[in-house]
């Protein structure tokens, strides 16, 4: 009797694979930059002040400052000099023209001129209201401008993570093709390892 012998070997595949891996994985943290300027008051108090000008009152009493005194005395000196010059000039011309005429007694005229101011002097009292002192006041006040300061923050954030990946790979190859062999033997099976 004929016997069918079959021997077979399955194909063998060789798979060489490398897993993918993450080499670097990091997230850049957001950075914050702050600009800070402290608030400052920058304010102060201006004290109240009083200005008192009592010079008009003192002047009414006769107390003058040097500027007014020299101005008044200078003007009076000029006017007195002009009046005296004019009076003496008139007297001189009067004497020139009338000095030799009868009845013109120069001695008597000189005597009357000498005592005339004292005999006809009148007491003149002048009453004036004294001006009040000039008073001006400035109240205390707060001066200056406040600086409210500044606190600003600039945030710099990135939208992507820092990831570096080495991709995996798989390589397949046929290690053995496999086979099927058939043969026929008579009487018994062929057992071969």
């Amino acid at each position: 009797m004929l016997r069918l012998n079959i021997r077979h070997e399955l194909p063998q595949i060789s798979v060489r694979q490398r897993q993918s891996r993450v080499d670097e994985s990091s997230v850049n943290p957001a950075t914050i930059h702050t600009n800070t300027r402290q608030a400052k008051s920058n304010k102060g108090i201006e004290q109240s002040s009083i200005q008192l000008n009592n010079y008009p009152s003192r002047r009414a009493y006769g107390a003058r400052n040097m500027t007014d005194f020299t101005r008044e005395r200078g003007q009076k000196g000029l006017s007195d000099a002009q009046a005296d010059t004019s009076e003496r000039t008139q007297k001189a011309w009067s004497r020139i023209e009338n000095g030799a005429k009868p009845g013109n007694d120069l001695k008597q005229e000189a005597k009357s001129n000498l005592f005339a101011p004292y005999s006809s002097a009148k007491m003149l009292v002048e009453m004036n209201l004294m001006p009040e002192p000039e008073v001006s006041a400035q109240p205390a006040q707060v001066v200056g401008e406040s600086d409210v300061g500044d606190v600003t923050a600039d945030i710099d954030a990135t939208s992507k993570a820092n990831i570096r990946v080495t991709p995996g790979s798989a390589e397949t190859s046929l290690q053995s093709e496999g086979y099927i062999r058939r043969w026929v033997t008579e009487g018994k099976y062929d057992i071969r390892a």
Side-chain angles (χ1 to χ4, degrees):
M1 170 179 226
L2 291 174
R3 308 265 177 176
L4 178 62
N5 293 299
I6 298 175
R7 175 173 264 178
H8 70 87
E9 189 176 288
L10 295 174
Q12 291 180 357
I13 299 173
S14 169
V15 177
R16 194 168 148 206
Q17 73 176 19
R18 188 175 64 202
Q19 297 289 330
S20 61
R21 70 171 190 263
V22 177
D23 295 327
E24 181 184 344
S25 172
S26 64
V27 176
N28 293 333
T31 57
I32 184 167
H33 306 284
T34 57
N35 301 320
T36 304
R37 190 175 78 246
Q38 294 295 324
K40 292 182 183 175
S41 170
N42 291 335
K43 290 200 173 205
I45 296 175
E46 191 174 278
Q47 295 292 331
S48 59
S49 62
I50 296 176
Q51 290 83 27
L52 176 65
N53 182 9
N54 62 357
Y55 180 67
S57 302
R58 290 183 314 142
R59 185 173 176 196
Y61 277 119
R64 295 173 184 83
N65 62 16
M66 191 52 87
T67 305
D68 285 347
F69 180 76
T70 52
R71 185 183 327 106
E72 289 172 9
R73 289 294 154 199
Q75 289 172 354
K76 185 169 181 356
L78 283 175
S79 66
D80 287 352
Q82 288 172 351
D84 192 49
T85 304
S86 174
E87 182 184 342
R88 289 182 185 270
T89 304
Q90 286 174 2
K91 283 182 181 180
W93 279 110
S94 174
R95 290 215 168 68
I96 290 170
E97 292 176 358
N98 301 323
K101 292 183 183 176
N104 192 4
D105 190 7
L106 292 176
K107 186 177 175 185
Q108 184 63 30
E109 185 183 339
K111 192 175 182 181
S112 68
N113 285 342
L114 184 63
F115 294 107
Y118 301 109
S119 61
S120 64
K122 295 180 182 176
M123 187 72 157
L124 181 62
V125 176
E126 195 174 321
M127 296 182 69
N128 289 330
L129 289 177
M130 296 226 336
E132 293 184 8
E134 298 169 5
V135 178
S136 61
Q138 171 137 7
Q141 58 185 357
V142 177
V143 293
E145 292 295 322
S146 292
D147 181 4
V148 295
D150 183 28
V151 177
T152 55
D154 298 327
I155 299 172
D156 184 18
T158 56
S159 60
K160 294 181 180 176
N162 221 359
I163 299 175
R164 211 173 66 213
V165 175
T166 302
S169 63
E171 296 175 6
T172 59
S173 60
L174 189 60
Q175 188 174 1
S176 150
E177 289 184 8
Y179 58 87
I180 296 177
R181 293 192 183 118
R182 297 171 303 276
W183 69 95
V184 179
T185 56
E186 256 185 69
K188 61 178 184 174
Y189 288 110
D190 185 9
I191 300 174
R192 285 187 274 180

